[in-house]
Amino acid sequence: LWPRYRRLVNAPPGTELVTQPGWETLDIDGAIRAVKRAKPLPRMPLAVVSKTEQFGLTPDFPKDIAARLLEVWPITQNRLVPLQPQTPHILATGSDHYVQLHDPDLVTSAIRLIVGRVRGIDR
């Protein structure tokens, strides 16, 4: 599914990539290579905020790719949690990918938690 997904990310159904100069695209493979080459994170407070709902997808988005995204997203999010000790995994219940829009108070609370931990105040 990866080659099809890569194309969909950069040219979602209903768009005409060729006729839109300056269309923003993502180099997903390059990003993955950069992550694999990266050094381990220095010790720092982290929080993982995860959506619980499906991505907002167009009606003509391929169902097989949508199902796979829904399946692997939580697995990937769970892999972020053990990167640092005491990392909370916060579920944004009822939110899709844009948690900051659907639940800004939750995002603000997560940021305050991390800032407090950086300052040595465990909230």
Side-chain angles (χ1 to χ4, degrees), residues 46-49 81 84-90 113-114 117:
L46 297 178
V48 176
V49 178
V81 176
Q84 294 292 335
Q86 298 180 325
T87 296
H89 190 175
I90 303 163
L113 171 70
I114 298 307
R117 287 183 173 183

Side-chain angles (χ1 to χ4, degrees), residues 8-85:
L8 285 166
V9 166
N10 287 314
T15 63
E16 296 296 329
L17 183 62
V18 177
T19 61
Q20 297 181 17
W23 181 274
E24 182 179 3
T25 60
L26 303 172
D27 179 7
I28 298 173
D29 293 325
I32 290 170
R33 283 191 302 275
V35 168
K36 286 181 177 179
R37 286 192 310 260
K39 295 177 182 173
L41 289 175
R43 187 157 167 108
M44 69 178 88
L46 297 178
V48 176
V49 178
S50 295
K51 67 180 190 63
T52 61
E53 303 304 312
Q54 177 61 283
F55 293 94
L57 302 171
T58 62
D60 52 349
F61 195 91
K63 302 289 185 249
D64 59 339
I65 295 177
R68 185 70 174 141
L69 278 173
L70 190 60
E71 178 185 338
V72 300
W73 193 264
I75 294 167
T76 304
Q77 292 293 95
N78 285 330
R79 289 181 180 172
L80 297 173
V81 176
L83 291 176
Q84 294 292 335

